[in-house]
Amino acid sequence: MMTPITINPLFQSILALSAADAGQTRLVYTPNWVAAQTQLLQAGVVDDLQARVDQYGNVYLDLPGRLPELPAIATGSHMDTVVNGGALDGLYGIIGGLTAVQRLRHQYGQPKRTLRIIAFSEEEGSRFPATFSGSKYYARRDQVTNLVDATGVSFEAARITAVQSLKRIPRVIFQRPDLPATFTELHIEQGPRLIHEHRTIGLVAAIVGQRRFNITVHGVANHAGTTPMVGRIDALTLTTQLLVQLQQAAAQTDPELTYTVGQLAVVPNTANTIPGKVTFSVDFRHPSSTVLDAFETKLTAIVAAANQPQHPVESRQWVNDVPRPLDATMLANNRRIASQLGYHPLTLVSGAGHDSAVMSQVVPTTMLFVPSIGGISHAPTEQTAPDDLTAGVDVLTESLYHQAY
């Protein structure tokens, strides 16, 4: 049994780069993110792995196989975090994958098929209004264009600067490799089901679809003390009315639909001025596209009814990820492996989006979950028991062995 991954030196050093009292913050292409990808590349070089980085800053570490003409067997996750996130989201799958490959090489030597660890550049959409940009680039799906962050920095400018830094690392190849034969993502559950069921391993059958909108409500900014209450066009008051309607519509659509308003921007956001504009986000998810369509229809109707000449309301969709079933054969193989190792895996649907949803569009893909204590994620208190972290790597190691050796 390996040393629990929570004390892996590389894991700890990457966490130290992004540590703050409020948690981990590694937004794509920021200095913290560049330092983390740099450490991973350098660790791969020291470990005699073939280290590569592509135009989007995805990092690839390969243990070459005896039959290099065969597509690789890949594992990994994303390097970025949300603002003030936890220690395990994304990074666990990268370091867990690296640990599994190191264990296999030590025990069995060179694999038949190349083993690849991937650290995708961005999954969260926390800096720019786009999600999964790293895996979408690797999967030859979408490329990001004409986006800026909250400070006005463009995606292109940030990307070029960050990638130029990674390209300068000695012995790192600047290249996007071919697609693998399969992809396996090890991840914390980010929810309470494994904890509630007292299970150590979760096997993901599918990933929910998710849609995100930004809705902007326009009012009239004016003095808080001299403007009569009658006749005010207060954008925040109008927004609260809209939020109540949307919340009720979500609750009436389907009990499994999750609905979240996570961002609210008030302009001018001063104590003595009536709000003149409010922009808020809407995130909703479900395993069925039919249910997602039903709520989007309600959202569109509610926004249209609120849109008036004296207080315009507009919406813009910026995420539309359809539900994704994962590979049934790989899931069955992982169920057999987990059972042989003494675990009783739980098959479930992931309520969070993952790079696996993108990879599943181009190669057979599977996911392994380990429990999140309290079901907490995207928060500094995100935590998984060390034995559970180790168990996830055990199952991943055995799964990669059967695929690559």
Side-chain angles (χ1 to χ4, degrees), residues 292-346:
L292 293 171
D293 289 342
F295 179 67
E296 183 173 335
T297 298
K298 292 180 181 180
L299 180 149
T300 300
I302 290 169
V303 169
N307 182 29
Q308 300 295 326
Q310 67 271 30
H311 50 79
V313 180
E314 57 205 32
S315 66
R316 181 180 67 85
Q317 185 177 43
W318 59 280
V319 171
N320 186 0
D321 295 322
V322 301
R324 291 290 176 186
L326 301 187
D327 189 79
T329 300
M330 296 184 75
L331 184 147
N333 290 337
N334 287 336
R335 182 182 293 113
R336 173 181 53 79
I337 289 167
S339 298
Q340 289 174 346
L341 291 175
Y343 305 112
H344 302 283
L346 178 68

Side-chain angles (χ1 to χ4, degrees), residues 74-150:
T75 187
S77 196
H78 58 98
M79 183 58 82
D80 71 318
T81 70
V82 297
V83 176
N84 301 332
L88 299 170
D89 184 3
L91 186 59
Y92 169 55
I94 298 168
I95 302 301
L98 178 61
T99 303
V101 170
Q102 290 170 331
R103 294 167 73 184
L104 288 169
R105 179 167 64 177
H106 176 75
Q107 187 167 356
Y108 302 107
Q110 186 179 23
K112 179 173 71 175
R113 286 179 176 269
T114 294
L115 281 166
R116 175 170 301 150
I117 304 106
I118 306 174
F120 289 117
S121 58
E122 182 278 325
E123 182 248 34
E124 299 285 6
S126 294
R127 182 178 181 188
F128 298 96
T131 54
F132 313 114
S133 61
S135 53
K136 285 177 179 176
Y137 177 73
Y138 181 46
R140 284 71 170 169
R141 308 304 286 182
D142 301 323
Q143 296 190 37
V144 174
T145 56
N146 302 323
L147 295 183
V148 295
D149 67 11

